[in-house]
Every structure is written in C-alpha cells, then in structure tokens.
Amino acid sequence: MSKVLIVAEHLDGKLNASTAKCVSAAQALNPEAIDIVVLAADPAAVAAEAAQVAGVGKVLTVANAANAQALAQVQAPQIAALAAGYSHVFGPSTTFGKDLMPCVAALLGVAQVSDVMAVDGSHTFKRPIYAGNAIVTVEAPADHTVVATVRTASWSEAARGGSATVEAATVEAELPTHTRFVGLEAGSSDRPDLQSARRVVSGGRGVGSEENFKIIFDFADKLGAAVGASRAAVDAGYVPNEMQVGQTGKIIAPELYVAIGISGAIQHLTGIKDAGTIVAINKDADAPIFEVADIGLVGDLFKVLPELEAAL
C-alpha cells in the first residue's frame, strides 16, 4: 500500500492552499496513510491548520531555526531523511515546490514526476506537455520512492474538518552552509494573491499603457479580485513580471477569470485553461480568446469597464 508524505507550503504562520490540493492528489492514490510535514522555526500554528485538512492522518513538525526561511538546500536533506518509510513524497507545483522537490529527488536518487494533473495508478500519472497542448502518461519505477510536484490548478482543495495528530519529528541530517538567507524583496499589495485568488482580472496589450492599467486595478477592486496580465502587457512595461499569467508566468485556476484587452495567445491560454468561468472583453471579435471564453463581450474596454463598474 502507498504511504504519502506531503511537504507543507506556508508563509508567515499560515498554510498555503496548495497543501490541501496536494492532499486531494494523494487521496487519488487510495493510500494507506497521508502525512504532512511542516518545517519551520516554530511550526505549531501551521501544524494546527494542517491537522484540520480532511484525510490527513498525522502532521509531523520539524522545529529548527534553520527552517525559518524556506530554503530548498536546507529543507531538502531533512525531507529526504524523513522520506524513509514513505512510497510517495508530494509537493505543490508552485515556486516553492519547483525549487524544493528536485533537490529532494536528487538526494533520494530518483527522477521527479512534475506537474501531476491526474493519477492513473500508484506509479502512473498524467502531466501536461507542449504548453498543455498534449497530455502524457508517465510511469515511475515501482521500486523507488515517487517524488512529485502536484499541478495545483488541476486539483481542488481537500475539505476541512480533519483531526490529525501532531507529532514532533527528530531529523538527523547534515545541513549545508553554502546557501544562506540574506533578505526578501517582495512587492506589497492589499489585493488577493494571484495564484490563490478565487477571482482574477487580467489586462493585455489592448490596455495601451501603464497609466491606463489603473482601469484594470479599479475594476478588480470592485470584484475583490487579484490582478494579472498577459506577457505582451508585461513585455510592454505596463506591469511587473510577477503579475504575468501564462505558460512562462503563473498557472492559475480561479473560479472567475476576466480577460480584458487580451487576444488569447496559446501561451496565455495555457495558464487559465482550468479556470471555472472565463469572461473576455475585447474589441476584436475574431480574437482567439473568444474561442475559450464562457462569456464574451465585443467592445471598447474603456467604454465597457466604466459601465460594468457602475452596475457593480
């Protein structure tokens, strides 16, 4: 039987929703047990939150001052040591997971399975390739630990209401000193996080300028939505690249996605294909975005958005 260890992603004492999505992926294996490991300087608050995720049997905590910051090179040896006895080690396919899990796989001497979007068997998975235009089935060796990242856009969050036990774990692993935390530079925003937001409004090249992007921000504020952008808007300098949605940006799956002034290049569509409802506003009736939109409105965004804001 399978036994799954999930690496919790957290920040500022709060569990990231990606962890509950990893639990959903693990449940598809019908495993004997699903455990979560929380590495932090003080893991108590995050562990208590993780214990409430339904389907989790045990939450392991690794308290170490070295885990105050999520450094892959520091955490990977600890996770590799904890992996003994587990058939699978899962992490989210987020910036955190993409940085950490390859290090874990390397230390365990196995090849990583990336972007798991479906489970066909204990060692057989589906993942997207070619910007999501094709889905490939991959099979991991049955006699090796499966280290995988879970495509969070393809899985819903596991329910709450669980009551897992919380246990302190002792890890004997030599931690490297060649990598150290210097500082964190991050933009501050009162808006929801782009990757976890339930509603997202994105602007494209059609917005026209950095100054004009204010109309996108104002509309998003009316909806309580996060703000994204197409690569064309980012390349044009309208907004910073951390707002980019698409193949080379963030892959998201909000309940509502509003694309404004975005033509719909395949690289952008790759990042939003799992959204619940896609709304497109564009003055070009032949724009590719309308082929995937659930609701389309042909019109000048500078006339349409003020009218929608007034209605909201």
Side-chain angles (χ1 to χ4, degrees):
M1 288 289 289
S2 302
K3 191 175 179 183
V4 187
L5 178 66
I6 294 172
V7 183
E9 178 176 2
H10 58 91
L11 182 65
D12 297 332
K14 295 182 179 179
L15 189 70
N16 191 289
S18 63
T19 305
K21 294 184 177 185
C22 287
V23 173
S24 292
Q27 288 173 331
L29 291 165
N30 295 316
E32 176 186 347
I34 300 174
D35 296 341
I36 293 178
V37 59
V38 179
L39 297 98
D42 182 7
V46 177
E49 196 175 348
Q52 296 175 13
V53 180
V56 177
K58 186 165 55 178
V59 177
L60 303 175
T61 61
V62 181
N64 191 326
N67 294 328
Q69 305 296 331
L71 297 180
Q73 288 72 21
V74 172
Q75 292 191 352
Q78 300 172 75
I79 296 166
L82 288 168
Y86 289 94
S87 59
H88 298 68
V89 181
F90 281 2
S93 189
T94 58
T95 302
F96 165 80
K98 289 177 179 178
D99 186 35
L100 173 63
M101 301 309 289
C103 298
V104 176
L107 290 172
L108 293 176
V110 299
Q112 176 182 290
V113 180
S114 302
D115 284 333
V116 170
M117 63 183 300
V119 174
D120 289 347
S122 63
H123 289 72
T124 309
F125 311 92
K126 282 187 170 62
R127 64 177 299 266
I129 58 173
Y130 301 131
N133 286 314
I135 307 300
V136 63
T137 299
V138 296
E139 186 171 352
D143 57 345
H144 288 74
T145 303
V146 176
V147 177
T149 57
V150 173
R151 182 182 169 92
T152 54
S154 300
W155 300 89
S156 59
E157 293 181 40
R160 305 290 168 164
S163 56
T165 59
V166 178
E167 295 182 8
T170 302
V171 180
E172 293 186 8
E174 185 177 348
L175 304 185
T177 57
H178 58 71
T179 301
R180 67 188 188 279
F181 178 77
V182 175
L184 175 65
E185 294 183 12
S188 59
S189 175
D190 295 330
R191 295 184 176 86
D193 175 67
L194 182 57
Q195 283 194 289
S196 59
R198 298 187 183 278
R199 293 182 289 273
V200 174
V201 176
S202 283
R205 194 199 306 271
V207 177
S209 69
E210 181 180 357
E211 293 73 21
N212 288 347
F213 226 85
K214 182 180 183 300
I215 197 171
I216 305 296
F217 287 115
D218 290 344
F219 183 64
D221 289 341
K222 284 283 187 179
L223 292 176
V227 179
S230 68
R231 178 168 182 172
V234 172
D235 287 348
Y238 301 167
V239 290
N241 59 11
E242 60 260 29
M243 292 174 59
Q244 184 177 322
V245 173
Q247 181 186 358
T248 53
K250 291 180 171 66
I251 308 295
I252 59 175
E255 294 174 2
L256 171 66
Y257 184 75
V258 185
I260 301 171
I262 295 176
S263 62
I266 185 62
Q267 291 85 355
H268 186 78
L269 300 184
T270 296
I272 64 167
K273 62 185 299 185
D274 294 306
T277 299
I278 299 174
V279 177
I281 301 173
N282 201 300
K283 65 181 180 181
D284 179 7
D286 296 322
I289 191 72
F290 288 122
E291 296 178 12
V292 300
D294 299 288
I295 301 171
L297 178 58
V298 178
D300 185 340
L301 67 92
F302 297 104
K303 294 180 179 179
V304 170
L305 288 189
E307 293 176 5
L308 284 176
E309 277 194 55
L312 289 169

